[in-house]
Amino acid sequence: MATTELTSEVFQQTLEDSDILFIDFWADWCGPCKQFAPVYEQVSEQHPDITFGKVDTEAERELAAAAKISSIPTLMAFREKVLVFSQPGALNAEQLTQVVTAVKDLDMEEVHKQVAEQDDGDASQEG
């Protein structure tokens, strides 16, 4: 199995240990989540270099709240511990593969630069 169940106990360590981390926020009662699950699993098996995690929003309410999940399924992607993608709704295999490719192709030097500039801007607005 190519996906990992993420809990609040292992979330931070998984984020630290993963260059690229995709997370599927789901619930057992959610029809679109059940449709997306096999697509997510299939794409995860095609990319063994990426960590694919799943968060059961019913079992991990605090984690879902911390991620500000308001609808499910929601897919998030982190690269080098930076949130680079977040979108609610189920994707088909082609769409998910496009997101994976886009995340892999990101210029992380530029992303880190933008994050730093945004952090600087936020700090100057607070002052």
Side-chain angles (χ1 to χ4, degrees):
M1 188 155 123
T3 59
T4 304
E5 193 65 38
L6 295 179
T7 63
S8 52
E9 290 80 28
V10 300
F11 182 86
Q12 192 61 42
Q13 190 61 51
T14 304
L15 182 62
E16 295 288 327
D17 293 346
S18 305
D19 181 47
I20 299 176
L21 171 62
F22 276 80
I23 306 170
D24 171 23
F25 290 87
W26 67 282
D28 195 43
W29 52 262
C30 166
C33 298
K34 289 183 176 193
Q35 291 174 323
F36 181 60
V39 170
Y40 190 70
E41 186 73 30
Q42 173 194 354
V43 172
S44 72
E45 289 170 0
Q46 296 166 357
H47 298 277
D49 55 324
I50 296 176
T51 303
F52 285 81
K54 294 178 74 69
V55 174
D56 179 347
T57 57
E58 291 295 309
E60 297 295 328
R61 291 177 188 265
E62 288 179 19
L63 200 50
K68 297 180 174 67
I69 301 302
S70 58
S71 63
I72 53 175
T74 290
L75 179 66
M76 288 187 172
F78 291 85
R79 173 116 184 246
E80 297 175 12
K81 298 184 261 321
V82 177
L83 178 64
V84 295
F85 180 86
S86 179
Q87 178 179 305
L91 302 175
N92 65 35
E94 183 180 335
Q95 292 167 323
L96 181 54
T97 299
Q98 288 174 349
V99 173
V100 169
T101 300
V103 170
K104 281 183 170 184
D105 290 347
L106 283 172
D107 178 349
M108 287 311 293
E109 196 173 300
E110 183 63 28
V111 170
H112 286 295
K113 183 177 155 197
Q114 289 173 2
V115 168
E117 289 171 359
Q118 185 177 356
D119 289 347
D120 291 347
D122 290 348
S124 66
Q125 288 177 359
E126 290 172 10

